Amino acid sequence: MAKKKRNVPSPSAYQADKPATLKDLLNPELLQKLKETSETLKATEAERLEKERQEREAARAAEQKRRDNDFEYLLENSDMDWKRYK
């Protein structure tokens, strides 16, 4: 038994059958503007997230500094067994 050859449609015929996409229909200048706007928004979002991270880090550092000056907190959270040294 010989194998049958399958007809594979040529890529150009397949491309012609595809409907036009929005990218094909848009003006290239408008498409470029949209890409720039998208990049700007992504950069702005990244800056906002970095700023929030820095604020959380600063708040955590301030809280740690406040706790380091609180003797009661240090005494309660120390690893040493103070009862042994009475």
Side-chain angles (χ1 to χ4, degrees), residues 26-85:
L26 284 178
N27 185 359
E29 294 172 4
L30 180 60
L31 189 60
Q32 183 63 28
K33 265 188 182 179
L34 289 172
K35 286 182 181 180
E36 289 173 2
T37 304
S38 173
E39 290 172 3
T40 304
L41 290 174
K42 286 179 184 177
T44 304
E45 181 69 13
E47 286 178 17
R48 184 185 64 81
L49 290 174
E50 179 64 23
K51 186 177 179 181
E52 285 180 4
R53 186 193 64 77
Q54 288 176 351
E55 288 175 357
R56 285 192 309 267
E57 183 67 24
R60 188 197 60 77
E63 179 67 18
Q64 185 64 37
K65 186 175 182 181
R66 185 190 64 78
R67 285 181 175 174
D68 286 345
N69 290 331
D70 185 9
F71 185 74
E72 181 182 359
Y73 173 81
L74 292 174
L75 188 61
E76 289 175 2
N77 294 313
S78 69
D79 292 336
M80 295 184 70
D81 185 11
W82 293 100
K83 294 177 183 175
R84 290 191 314 179
Y85 299 105

